Amino acid sequence: MLRRATAALVEEHWQAQERIGANVAAHALAQWSRVNPHSLEESGSAWLAWMLALIRRERRRSRDQAAAFFRLYRALETGHTVPPLSGEYVGETTTLGELREEWADQTDTVRLPEPDDGEEITLDGFDWPEEPKESHDRAAVASLVSQGVAKVRQHLDQVDDDQDRGRLDDGGFLQELEEAVDTAGRSSAGAADREALRAGRDLIDQASKRDRRVVGWARITDGNPCAFCAMLASRGAIYTSQATAAGGGRRKPKDSPDGRVRANRRPPVAREDLTRYHNGCHCQTVPIYSRNDFMTPQARDFDRQWQEVTRGMTGAEARRAWRRHIESSRS
């Protein structure tokens, strides 16, 4: 199970990223009110340009924040860290206190002194991955257009094709159009949230692939995950092929307190699934540095719930039961 300091940092990480995404979503909704379906091309283009500028700025925040998390998290887990994202030379060592200060600065939080702040941390040689800005821009534009303006355009095109609709200023049509615009606004806000967090998630993903100390990855859920995300978290860590080989393959069953042998946890999902995020999702994928059981308290609870809810079930039947269970308990 995660050490207290690491578990607290992981919790702070997804919450800090969530604040970035939620702020972008709120701005997206506010600006969406300027989109006029009667001048969709002009007003939609203006909205898209404004949103892209905002997302670019917040992607930088997400990336800088993720780098500060990565440096502190790695130090807590291994006693070693990597140089700053800025590339600035800072010597061959740093301290936990300095890394915590950087994290507090990036998250705009007040940091309290810790007893081990003076602990010296060695800096390993490391090259941070560059952000593929053009690729991220293309993804943002495609997502915002498909979830926003394109949905309104699709509704208008359907009206044009319907000969029985009558006048376009009909009260029923206007009400329906307003609802379609509102729905598109909410969808595009969710897309904006996701796109703002893309850079931070991508940085962690790419940096951890380069990090020779990483042995695997785990999904960390936000405070109110969907069934799919909760399932991913409940499965704990997946390991690199090298780490699995070094560990002798799959884990053996553990004895429970009553002396009976527990069944193995379900086989882990593919690594690609760990890095799949839907609109409105604030989960994160984090690297792991030890084959010790990597489970947050929430993930351990989801594991217990899965075993209870899906007892005697497999495959699609188990997934359906799990989805009903999580959806009925979500706030």
Side-chain angles (χ1 to χ4, degrees):
M1 191 167 178
L2 283 176
R3 294 185 297 115
R4 181 178 298 178
T6 305
L9 178 61
V10 165
E11 184 88 357
E12 292 171 9
H13 173 50
W14 75 254
Q15 289 176 344
Q17 292 285 306
E18 179 185 48
R19 288 194 293 272
I20 292 175
N23 179 62
V24 170
H27 278 86
L29 277 175
Q31 291 297 315
W32 183 255
S33 63
R34 301 184 180 186
V35 175
N36 185 344
H38 302 291
S39 58
L40 188 58
E41 183 173 351
E42 180 182 358
S43 61
S45 295
W47 174 81
L48 180 62
W50 194 93
M51 285 304 305
L52 187 57
L54 174 65
I55 286 173
R56 284 171 174 163
R57 186 189 74 192
E58 296 306 293
R59 279 202 320 243
R60 288 194 296 272
R61 285 190 62 206
S62 174
R63 182 176 166 87
D64 290 345
Q65 217 176 71
F69 162 77
F70 188 85
R71 296 186 74 221
L72 176 55
Y73 172 78
R74 192 178 190 271
L76 290 172
E77 287 291 287
T78 70
H80 295 250
T81 191
V82 295
L85 183 61
S86 65
E88 176 186 1
Y89 178 74
V90 292
E92 297 180 355
T93 63
T94 185
T95 65
L96 278 179
E98 290 171 336
L99 293 171
R100 286 173 175 142
E101 198 65 39
E102 177 189 25
W103 172 244
D105 287 344
Q106 288 295 336
T107 55
D108 295 323
T109 54
V110 176
R111 188 181 82 81
L112 298 177
E114 299 284 349
D116 59 351
D117 276 347
E119 182 177 332
E120 194 170 82
I121 303 297
T122 302
L123 272 68
D124 293 336
F126 187 74
D127 292 323
W128 288 99
E130 293 289 333
E131 181 187 0
K133 295 180 181 179
E134 292 184 0
S135 174
H136 285 178
D137 279 353
R138 288 194 297 270
V141 170
S143 186
L144 291 172
V145 170
S146 65
Q147 296 299 307
V149 176
K151 286 183 178 293
V152 178
R153 171 55 62 194
Q154 182 181 24
H155 183 78
L156 292 173
D157 289 345
Q158 288 174 347
V159 171
D160 289 341
D161 292 339
D162 190 345
Q163 299 299 320
D164 297 326
R165 295 289 302 197
R167 291 170 52 85
L168 294 185
D169 59 355
D170 175 76
F173 163 72
L174 292 177
Q175 177 64 32
E176 189 176 315
L177 177 60
E178 181 178 352
E179 292 173 358
V181 171
D182 287 345
T183 298
R186 290 191 297 272
S187 295
S188 60
D193 178 335
R194 179 181 180 181
E195 292 303 323
L197 303 188
R198 183 182 292 274
R201 285 166 167 163
D202 184 69
L203 179 73
I204 296 292
D205 181 45
Q206 297 303 318
S208 63
K209 287 178 180 178
R210 298 185 179 193
D211 189 347
R212 295 182 179 181
R213 293 182 182 271
V214 169
V215 299
W217 296 268
R219 178 75 163 228
I220 304 299
T221 64
D222 60 24
N224 190 29
C226 69
F228 176 73
C229 294
M231 179 191 69
L232 291 180
S234 77
R235 295 189 176 189
I238 65 170
Y239 297 98
T240 63
S241 56
Q242 296 92 330
T244 302
R250 295 177 61 182
R251 286 182 299 180
K252 296 179 180 179
K254 297 179 182 178
D255 292 336
S256 60
D258 59 9
R260 293 180 298 179
V261 175
R262 297 190 316 194
N264 278 330
R265 186 176 292 119
R266 298 168 310 288
V269 293
R271 186 183 184 282
E272 291 72 22
D273 283 339
L274 290 185
T275 54
R276 288 171 54 193
Y277 307 102
H278 54 81
N279 289 352
C281 172
H282 297 117
C283 299
Q284 298 288 329
T285 298
V286 298
I288 58 174
Y289 293 92
S290 168
R291 281 186 56 83
N292 293 333
D293 199 15
F294 187 100
M295 296 286 280
T296 65
Q298 185 193 46
R300 194 174 294 278
D301 185 48
F302 281 139
D303 184 38
R304 176 190 59 78
Q305 291 180 50
W306 174 279
Q307 301 295 345
E308 294 175 356
V309 170
T310 66
R311 184 173 289 116
M313 304 177 192
T314 59
E317 181 186 16
R319 291 192 296 272
R320 285 194 296 269
W322 177 249
R323 185 168 57 252
R324 289 194 297 268
H325 168 70
I326 292 297
E327 289 177 354
S328 67
S329 62
R330 290 187 77 188
S331 57

